[in-house]
Amino acid sequence: TVAVSAVVTILWAVVGYSLSFGKGPEGLNDWIGGFEAFLLNGVRPDTAHALAPGLPEYLWIAYQLTFAIITPALIAGAFAERFKFSALLLFAALWHLLVYAPICHWVWGGGFLGAQGVLDFAGGAVVHVNSGVAGLVCALFLGPRKNWGRENMAPHNLVLTLIGASLLLVGWLGFNAGSAWAADAIASVAMLNTILAPMAGALGWMIVEWIERKKPTLLGLLSGLIAGLVGVTPAAGLVTPGSALLIGLICGPVCYAASVWLKHKLKYDDSLDAFGIHGVGGMVGALLTGVFASAAVNGVAEGATVLKQAIGLLWTIGWSAALTYAILWICKLTTGLRVESDEETEGLDLAIHGETLHG
Protein backbone atom coordinates (compact mmCIF):
# COMPACT_ATOMS: atom_id res chain seq x y z
CA THR A 1 0.00 0.00 0.00
CA VAL A 2 2.94 2.36 0.46
CA ALA A 3 3.94 1.75 -3.15
CA VAL A 4 0.33 2.23 -4.28
CA SER A 5 0.24 5.53 -2.38
CA ALA A 6 3.38 6.71 -4.18
CA VAL A 7 2.09 5.75 -7.64
CA VAL A 8 -1.33 7.33 -7.12
CA THR A 9 0.11 10.52 -5.59
CA ILE A 10 2.37 11.17 -8.59
CA LEU A 11 -0.41 10.40 -11.07
CA TRP A 12 -2.83 12.61 -9.14
CA ALA A 13 -0.50 15.60 -9.40
CA VAL A 14 0.27 14.95 -13.06
CA VAL A 15 -3.19 14.24 -14.46
CA GLY A 16 -5.53 12.41 -12.04
CA TYR A 17 -6.78 15.55 -10.32
CA SER A 18 -7.43 17.25 -13.63
CA LEU A 19 -9.35 14.25 -14.99
CA SER A 20 -11.39 13.97 -11.79
CA PHE A 21 -12.23 17.62 -11.11
CA GLY A 22 -11.31 19.50 -14.25
CA LYS A 23 -13.74 20.62 -16.93
CA GLY A 24 -13.74 18.21 -19.84
CA PRO A 25 -13.93 19.03 -23.53
CA GLU A 26 -17.26 20.15 -24.97
CA GLY A 27 -19.66 17.22 -24.90
CA LEU A 28 -17.42 15.08 -22.70
CA ASN A 29 -17.59 16.88 -19.37
CA ASP A 30 -20.41 14.61 -18.21
CA TRP A 31 -17.96 11.72 -18.44
CA ILE A 32 -14.43 12.92 -17.70
CA GLY A 33 -12.49 16.05 -16.80
CA GLY A 34 -9.90 17.70 -19.01
CA PHE A 35 -6.21 18.53 -18.90
CA GLU A 36 -6.27 22.20 -17.88
CA ALA A 37 -4.79 21.30 -14.47
CA PHE A 38 -2.12 18.97 -15.96
CA LEU A 39 0.81 19.01 -13.51
CA LEU A 40 -1.46 21.28 -11.43
CA ASN A 41 -1.03 23.99 -14.03
CA GLY A 42 -2.79 27.22 -13.09
CA VAL A 43 -3.23 26.33 -9.42
CA ARG A 44 -1.90 29.06 -7.13
CA PRO A 45 -2.09 29.70 -3.38
CA ASP A 46 -4.91 32.17 -3.92
CA THR A 47 -7.07 30.02 -6.23
CA ALA A 48 -10.13 28.03 -5.16
CA HIS A 49 -11.99 25.25 -6.96
CA ALA A 50 -15.58 26.00 -7.93
CA LEU A 51 -16.76 22.95 -5.97
CA ALA A 52 -15.07 24.17 -2.77
CA PRO A 53 -15.09 27.96 -3.00
CA GLY A 54 -14.19 28.47 0.64
CA LEU A 55 -10.98 26.45 0.45
CA PRO A 56 -7.58 27.11 -1.08
CA GLU A 57 -7.34 24.80 -4.07
CA TYR A 58 -4.08 23.30 -2.79
CA LEU A 59 -5.97 22.09 0.30
CA TRP A 60 -8.77 20.73 -1.88
CA ILE A 61 -6.23 18.85 -4.02
CA ALA A 62 -4.49 17.35 -0.99
CA TYR A 63 -7.76 16.33 0.67
CA GLN A 64 -9.15 14.69 -2.44
CA LEU A 65 -5.83 12.90 -2.94
CA THR A 66 -6.44 10.93 0.25
CA PHE A 67 -9.61 9.46 -1.29
CA ALA A 68 -7.75 8.65 -4.50
CA ILE A 69 -5.09 6.78 -2.50
CA ILE A 70 -7.33 4.78 -0.19
CA THR A 71 -9.57 3.43 -2.96
CA PRO A 72 -7.03 1.22 -4.81
CA ALA A 73 -5.36 0.42 -1.48
CA LEU A 74 -8.63 -1.18 -0.33
CA ILE A 75 -8.66 -3.42 -3.40
CA ALA A 76 -5.34 -4.94 -2.35
CA GLY A 77 -7.08 -6.53 0.61
CA ALA A 78 -8.98 -8.81 -1.75
CA PHE A 79 -5.93 -10.32 -3.45
CA ALA A 80 -3.40 -10.29 -0.60
CA GLU A 81 -0.69 -12.98 -0.78
CA ARG A 82 -1.20 -13.71 -4.52
CA PHE A 83 -0.37 -10.63 -6.61
CA LYS A 84 3.01 -9.89 -8.20
CA PHE A 85 4.50 -6.59 -7.06
CA SER A 86 5.21 -5.40 -10.61
CA ALA A 87 1.60 -6.18 -11.52
CA LEU A 88 0.40 -4.26 -8.46
CA LEU A 89 2.19 -1.10 -9.60
CA LEU A 90 0.80 -1.34 -13.13
CA PHE A 91 -2.67 -2.20 -11.85
CA ALA A 92 -2.71 0.77 -9.45
CA ALA A 93 -1.66 3.20 -12.18
CA LEU A 94 -4.17 2.02 -14.78
CA TRP A 95 -6.99 1.64 -12.26
CA HIS A 96 -6.50 5.17 -10.95
CA LEU A 97 -6.71 6.67 -14.44
CA LEU A 98 -9.36 4.43 -16.00
CA VAL A 99 -11.64 3.60 -13.08
CA TYR A 100 -11.23 5.99 -10.16
CA ALA A 101 -10.89 9.26 -12.07
CA PRO A 102 -14.00 8.77 -14.26
CA ILE A 103 -16.25 7.61 -11.41
CA CYS A 104 -15.00 10.40 -9.15
CA HIS A 105 -15.81 12.89 -11.91
CA TRP A 106 -19.27 11.40 -12.52
CA VAL A 107 -20.29 11.80 -8.88
CA TRP A 108 -18.21 14.64 -7.42
CA GLY A 109 -16.47 16.44 -10.26
CA GLY A 110 -19.39 17.83 -12.23
CA GLY A 111 -20.33 14.67 -14.12
CA PHE A 112 -23.69 13.22 -15.02
CA LEU A 113 -24.43 11.23 -11.84
CA GLY A 114 -24.03 14.23 -9.57
CA ALA A 115 -26.14 16.30 -11.95
CA GLN A 116 -28.89 13.67 -11.76
CA GLY A 117 -29.04 13.97 -7.97
CA VAL A 118 -27.03 10.90 -6.94
CA LEU A 119 -25.82 11.56 -3.38
CA ASP A 120 -22.49 10.37 -2.03
CA PHE A 121 -21.38 12.55 0.85
CA ALA A 122 -17.95 11.04 1.48
CA GLY A 123 -17.35 8.08 -0.82
CA GLY A 124 -19.89 5.28 -0.48
CA ALA A 125 -19.94 4.62 -4.23
CA VAL A 126 -16.79 6.45 -5.36
CA VAL A 127 -14.56 4.74 -2.79
CA HIS A 128 -16.18 1.70 -1.19
CA VAL A 129 -18.48 0.21 -3.81
CA ASN A 130 -15.88 0.99 -6.46
CA SER A 131 -13.04 -0.73 -4.61
CA GLY A 132 -15.19 -3.56 -3.27
CA VAL A 133 -16.46 -4.56 -6.72
CA ALA A 134 -12.94 -4.32 -8.12
CA GLY A 135 -11.73 -6.51 -5.26
CA LEU A 136 -14.34 -9.14 -6.05
CA VAL A 137 -13.32 -9.18 -9.72
CA CYS A 138 -9.67 -9.57 -8.69
CA ALA A 139 -10.45 -12.41 -6.28
CA LEU A 140 -12.46 -14.28 -8.92
CA PHE A 141 -9.86 -13.67 -11.62
CA LEU A 142 -6.91 -14.83 -9.51
CA GLY A 143 -8.54 -17.76 -7.76
CA PRO A 144 -8.03 -18.67 -4.11
CA ARG A 145 -4.83 -18.82 -2.09
CA LYS A 146 -3.11 -22.16 -1.68
CA ASN A 147 -4.94 -24.31 0.86
CA TRP A 148 -7.73 -21.76 1.24
CA GLY A 149 -10.66 -23.47 2.90
CA ARG A 150 -8.41 -26.17 4.34
CA GLU A 151 -6.15 -24.12 6.60
CA ASN A 152 -7.05 -21.52 9.22
CA MET A 153 -6.26 -18.15 7.62
CA ALA A 154 -7.60 -15.90 10.36
CA PRO A 155 -5.55 -12.78 11.28
CA HIS A 156 -2.41 -13.86 13.11
CA ASN A 157 -2.30 -10.88 15.50
CA LEU A 158 -5.55 -9.42 16.81
CA VAL A 159 -3.67 -6.64 18.62
CA LEU A 160 -2.51 -5.30 15.25
CA THR A 161 -6.04 -5.75 13.91
CA LEU A 162 -7.39 -3.70 16.82
CA ILE A 163 -4.80 -0.97 16.30
CA GLY A 164 -5.55 -0.86 12.57
CA ALA A 165 -9.31 -0.61 13.09
CA SER A 166 -8.83 2.11 15.70
CA LEU A 167 -6.68 4.13 13.32
CA LEU A 168 -9.33 3.69 10.65
CA LEU A 169 -12.04 5.00 12.96
CA VAL A 170 -10.04 8.11 13.84
CA GLY A 171 -9.04 8.76 10.24
CA TRP A 172 -12.60 8.22 9.06
CA LEU A 173 -13.75 11.15 11.18
CA GLY A 174 -11.55 13.35 9.01
CA PHE A 175 -12.83 11.82 5.77
CA ASN A 176 -16.50 12.18 6.63
CA ALA A 177 -16.57 15.42 8.59
CA GLY A 178 -14.07 16.97 6.21
CA SER A 179 -16.40 16.30 3.30
CA ALA A 180 -18.53 19.19 4.56
CA TRP A 181 -15.61 21.41 3.40
CA ALA A 182 -16.21 23.72 6.34
CA ALA A 183 -16.29 23.65 10.14
CA ASP A 184 -20.05 23.98 10.29
CA ALA A 185 -23.25 22.22 11.36
CA ILE A 186 -23.04 19.69 8.52
CA ALA A 187 -19.50 18.73 9.54
CA SER A 188 -20.73 18.35 13.12
CA VAL A 189 -23.55 15.96 12.26
CA ALA A 190 -21.24 14.05 9.90
CA MET A 191 -18.73 13.56 12.72
CA LEU A 192 -21.38 12.44 15.20
CA ASN A 193 -22.88 10.05 12.67
CA THR A 194 -19.42 8.64 11.97
CA ILE A 195 -19.16 7.69 15.64
CA LEU A 196 -22.68 6.33 16.07
CA ALA A 197 -22.94 4.13 12.97
CA PRO A 198 -19.81 2.03 13.52
CA MET A 199 -20.76 1.30 17.12
CA ALA A 200 -24.18 0.14 15.96
CA GLY A 201 -22.51 -1.87 13.20
CA ALA A 202 -20.21 -3.55 15.71
CA LEU A 203 -23.16 -4.61 17.85
CA GLY A 204 -25.19 -5.75 14.84
CA TRP A 205 -22.37 -7.98 13.56
CA MET A 206 -21.68 -9.32 17.08
CA ILE A 207 -25.31 -10.28 17.69
CA VAL A 208 -25.53 -12.33 14.49
CA GLU A 209 -22.15 -13.95 15.12
CA TRP A 210 -23.08 -14.72 18.73
CA ILE A 211 -26.32 -16.38 17.64
CA GLU A 212 -24.72 -18.40 14.84
CA ARG A 213 -21.31 -19.29 16.31
CA LYS A 214 -22.19 -19.08 20.00
CA LYS A 215 -19.18 -16.85 20.70
CA PRO A 216 -18.81 -13.09 20.15
CA THR A 217 -15.31 -12.20 18.93
CA LEU A 218 -13.10 -9.13 18.82
CA LEU A 219 -12.54 -9.72 15.11
CA GLY A 220 -16.30 -9.72 14.60
CA LEU A 221 -16.77 -6.49 16.56
CA LEU A 222 -14.04 -4.78 14.55
CA SER A 223 -15.45 -6.07 11.27
CA GLY A 224 -18.90 -4.74 12.20
CA LEU A 225 -17.36 -1.43 13.20
CA ILE A 226 -15.82 -1.06 9.74
CA ALA A 227 -19.10 -2.13 8.13
CA GLY A 228 -20.91 0.64 10.00
CA LEU A 229 -18.29 3.17 8.93
CA VAL A 230 -18.64 2.13 5.30
CA GLY A 231 -22.43 2.22 5.43
CA VAL A 232 -22.65 5.72 6.89
CA THR A 233 -20.03 7.20 4.57
CA PRO A 234 -22.40 8.17 1.73
CA ALA A 235 -24.94 9.45 4.25
CA ALA A 236 -22.80 11.06 6.96
CA GLY A 237 -23.69 14.71 6.36
CA LEU A 238 -27.16 14.02 5.00
CA VAL A 239 -29.01 12.10 7.73
CA THR A 240 -30.02 12.50 11.37
CA PRO A 241 -28.11 10.69 14.12
CA GLY A 242 -31.04 8.32 14.59
CA SER A 243 -30.86 7.34 10.94
CA ALA A 244 -27.10 6.83 11.25
CA LEU A 245 -27.71 4.36 14.07
CA LEU A 246 -30.13 2.43 11.89
CA ILE A 247 -27.71 2.41 8.96
CA GLY A 248 -24.98 0.96 11.16
CA LEU A 249 -27.30 -1.58 12.75
CA ILE A 250 -28.41 -2.79 9.31
CA CYS A 251 -24.93 -2.84 7.76
CA GLY A 252 -23.40 -5.00 10.49
CA PRO A 253 -25.55 -8.11 9.89
CA VAL A 254 -25.73 -7.61 6.11
CA CYS A 255 -21.94 -7.38 5.80
CA TYR A 256 -21.61 -10.42 8.09
CA ALA A 257 -23.84 -12.35 5.70
CA ALA A 258 -21.79 -11.22 2.70
CA SER A 259 -18.41 -11.88 4.33
CA VAL A 260 -19.26 -15.25 5.88
CA TRP A 261 -22.18 -16.88 4.10
CA LEU A 262 -21.99 -15.43 0.59
CA LYS A 263 -18.21 -15.78 0.28
CA HIS A 264 -18.27 -19.44 1.23
CA LYS A 265 -21.36 -20.15 -0.83
CA LEU A 266 -19.76 -18.71 -3.99
CA LYS A 267 -16.26 -19.93 -3.01
CA TYR A 268 -14.22 -16.81 -3.80
CA ASP A 269 -11.19 -15.94 -1.69
CA ASP A 270 -11.48 -12.27 -0.72
CA SER A 271 -8.62 -12.19 1.78
CA LEU A 272 -9.73 -9.19 3.86
CA ASP A 273 -13.40 -9.07 2.82
CA ALA A 274 -12.99 -6.03 0.58
CA PHE A 275 -16.23 -6.92 -1.19
CA GLY A 276 -18.13 -8.27 1.80
CA ILE A 277 -17.54 -5.17 3.92
CA HIS A 278 -16.64 -2.31 1.59
CA GLY A 279 -18.57 -3.35 -1.51
CA VAL A 280 -21.73 -4.61 0.15
CA GLY A 281 -21.62 -2.06 2.98
CA GLY A 282 -21.22 0.73 0.45
CA MET A 283 -24.19 -0.51 -1.58
CA VAL A 284 -26.43 -0.78 1.48
CA GLY A 285 -25.32 2.63 2.72
CA ALA A 286 -25.89 4.25 -0.68
CA LEU A 287 -29.43 2.86 -0.93
CA LEU A 288 -30.25 3.79 2.67
CA THR A 289 -29.02 7.31 1.93
CA GLY A 290 -31.92 7.52 -0.50
CA VAL A 291 -34.25 6.37 2.29
CA PHE A 292 -33.01 8.56 5.14
CA ALA A 293 -31.48 11.69 3.52
CA SER A 294 -33.08 14.73 5.14
CA ALA A 295 -33.28 18.24 3.71
CA ALA A 296 -33.56 19.46 7.31
CA VAL A 297 -30.01 18.22 7.88
CA ASN A 298 -28.56 19.22 4.50
CA GLY A 299 -30.36 21.07 1.74
CA VAL A 300 -28.75 19.00 -1.02
CA ALA A 301 -30.79 16.03 0.21
CA GLU A 302 -33.93 17.56 -1.29
CA GLY A 303 -35.29 15.17 -3.90
CA ALA A 304 -33.18 12.19 -2.82
CA THR A 305 -34.66 8.83 -3.83
CA VAL A 306 -33.63 5.19 -3.68
CA LEU A 307 -34.03 5.00 -7.46
CA LYS A 308 -31.45 7.72 -8.06
CA GLN A 309 -29.07 5.99 -5.67
CA ALA A 310 -29.62 2.65 -7.42
CA ILE A 311 -28.86 4.19 -10.81
CA GLY A 312 -25.61 5.57 -9.42
CA LEU A 313 -24.72 2.15 -8.04
CA LEU A 314 -25.41 0.40 -11.35
CA TRP A 315 -23.09 2.76 -13.22
CA THR A 316 -20.38 2.42 -10.57
CA ILE A 317 -20.61 -1.39 -10.37
CA GLY A 318 -20.70 -1.88 -14.13
CA TRP A 319 -17.79 0.44 -14.93
CA SER A 320 -15.62 -0.79 -12.07
CA ALA A 321 -16.20 -4.47 -12.86
CA ALA A 322 -15.66 -4.18 -16.62
CA LEU A 323 -12.58 -1.95 -16.50
CA THR A 324 -11.00 -3.89 -13.61
CA TYR A 325 -11.36 -7.09 -15.62
CA ALA A 326 -9.72 -5.44 -18.65
CA ILE A 327 -6.85 -4.07 -16.53
CA LEU A 328 -6.21 -7.50 -15.02
CA TRP A 329 -5.84 -8.91 -18.53
CA ILE A 330 -3.38 -6.15 -19.42
CA CYS A 331 -1.34 -6.98 -16.34
CA LYS A 332 -1.48 -10.71 -17.05
CA LEU A 333 -0.21 -10.21 -20.61
CA THR A 334 2.58 -7.80 -19.63
CA THR A 335 4.00 -8.09 -16.13
CA GLY A 336 2.29 -11.36 -15.31
CA LEU A 337 -0.23 -11.45 -12.50
CA ARG A 338 0.12 -14.18 -9.92
CA VAL A 339 3.24 -15.10 -7.98
CA GLU A 340 4.82 -18.55 -8.29
CA SER A 341 3.52 -21.31 -6.04
CA ASP A 342 6.74 -21.55 -4.02
CA GLU A 343 6.78 -17.76 -3.51
CA GLU A 344 3.24 -17.90 -2.17
CA THR A 345 4.24 -20.69 0.21
CA GLU A 346 7.31 -18.80 1.43
CA GLY A 347 5.42 -15.55 1.85
CA LEU A 348 5.66 -12.51 -0.39
CA ASP A 349 7.49 -10.31 2.10
CA LEU A 350 10.46 -12.61 2.08
CA ALA A 351 10.19 -14.08 -1.43
CA ILE A 352 9.72 -10.82 -3.34
CA HIS A 353 11.11 -8.13 -1.02
CA GLY A 354 13.74 -10.05 0.96
CA GLU A 355 12.42 -8.84 4.29
CA THR A 356 9.83 -9.78 6.85
CA LEU A 357 8.03 -8.07 9.71
CA HIS A 358 8.46 -11.01 12.07
CA GLY A 359 11.12 -13.61 12.75
Side-chain angles (χ1 to χ4, degrees), residues 175-268:
F175 273 121
N176 285 6
S179 292
W181 310 330
D184 58 10
I186 294 173
S188 300
V189 74
M191 178 169 283
L192 178 59
N193 288 342
T194 306
I195 297 171
L196 295 174
M199 300 310 160
L203 289 178
W205 184 298
M206 182 194 72
I207 289 168
V208 176
E209 181 183 54
W210 203 345
I211 292 170
E212 186 192 24
R213 299 189 172 186
K214 310 306 179 187
K215 291 183 180 179
T217 66
L218 174 61
L219 181 61
L221 279 167
L222 297 176
S223 299
L225 182 146
I226 303 302
L229 284 169
V230 171
V232 81
T233 292
L238 301 168
V239 302
T240 65
S243 297
L245 282 170
L246 285 174
I247 290 171
L249 198 59
I250 292 168
C251 282
V254 172
C255 290
Y256 176 90
S259 302
V260 178
W261 301 334
L262 182 65
K263 181 169 69 172
H264 289 287
K265 180 73 173 178
L266 300 182
K267 294 182 169 57
Y268 61 87

Side-chain angles (χ1 to χ4, degrees), residues 109-302:
F112 71 100
L113 290 181
Q116 291 174 7
V118 174
L119 297 177
D120 189 356
F121 188 78
V126 176
V127 176
H128 297 289
V129 174
N130 196 4
S131 61
V133 169
L136 176 63
V137 173
C138 290
L140 292 170
F141 195 97
L142 282 165
R145 289 166 289 177
K146 290 180 65 175
N147 298 319
W148 180 74
R150 295 189 294 273
E151 292 183 2
N152 181 15
M153 294 185 175
H156 79 285
N157 190 322
L158 280 175
V159 173
L160 293 179
T161 304
L162 173 61
I163 292 170
S166 301
L167 290 172
L168 276 175
L169 174 59
V170 173
W172 222 296
L173 295 172
F175 273 121
N176 285 6
S179 292
W181 310 330
D184 58 10
I186 294 173
S188 300
V189 74
M191 178 169 283
L192 178 59
N193 288 342
T194 306
I195 297 171
L196 295 174
M199 300 310 160
L203 289 178
W205 184 298
M206 182 194 72
I207 289 168
V208 176
E209 181 183 54
W210 203 345
I211 292 170
E212 186 192 24
R213 299 189 172 186
K214 310 306 179 187
K215 291 183 180 179
T217 66
L218 174 61
L219 181 61
L221 279 167
L222 297 176
S223 299
L225 182 146
I226 303 302
L229 284 169
V230 171
V232 81
T233 292
L238 301 168
V239 302
T240 65
S243 297
L245 282 170
L246 285 174
I247 290 171
L249 198 59
I250 292 168
C251 282
V254 172
C255 290
Y256 176 90
S259 302
V260 178
W261 301 334
L262 182 65
K263 181 169 69 172
H264 289 287
K265 180 73 173 178
L266 300 182
K267 294 182 169 57
Y268 61 87
D269 181 11
D270 178 356
S271 307
L272 301 181
D273 293 316
F275 177 70
I277 293 178
H278 295 277
V280 172
M283 293 176 201
V284 173
L287 293 174
L288 292 178
T289 298
V291 175
F292 294 122
S294 169
V297 175
N298 190 327
V300 303
E302 187 73 41

Side-chain angles (χ1 to χ4, degrees), residues 7-90:
V7 168
V8 171
T9 297
I10 299 304
L11 286 174
W12 184 253
V14 174
V15 71
Y17 171 69
S18 193
L19 292 174
S20 298
F21 290 100
K23 186 171 178 59
E26 189 67 30
L28 292 179
N29 189 58
D30 278 350
W31 300 94
I32 195 67
F35 295 97
E36 72 274 16
F38 180 79
L39 280 173
L40 304 184
N41 177 55
V43 181
R44 303 185 309 276
D46 60 341
T47 62
H49 195 282
L51 295 171
L55 298 178
E57 191 166 3
Y58 283 135
L59 178 60
W60 172 253
I61 293 167
Y63 176 69
Q64 289 295 337
L65 169 60
T66 61
F67 289 88
I69 289 172
I70 194 61
T71 310
L74 290 172
I75 303 170
F79 55 66
E81 303 180 54
R82 287 163 281 175
F83 221 74
K84 291 180 69 173
F85 186 67
S86 55
L88 174 64
L89 299 179
L90 178 59

Side-chain angles (χ1 to χ4, degrees), residues 7 72 75-76 79 83 85-97 134-135 138 323-325 327-328 331 335 337:
V7 168
I75 303 170
F79 55 66
F83 221 74
F85 186 67
S86 55
L88 174 64
L89 299 179
L90 178 59
F91 178 88
L94 293 175
W95 200 88
H96 173 69
L97 296 175
C138 290
L323 269 292
T324 299
Y325 184 75
I327 291 167
L328 288 170
C331 293
T335 60
L337 200 58

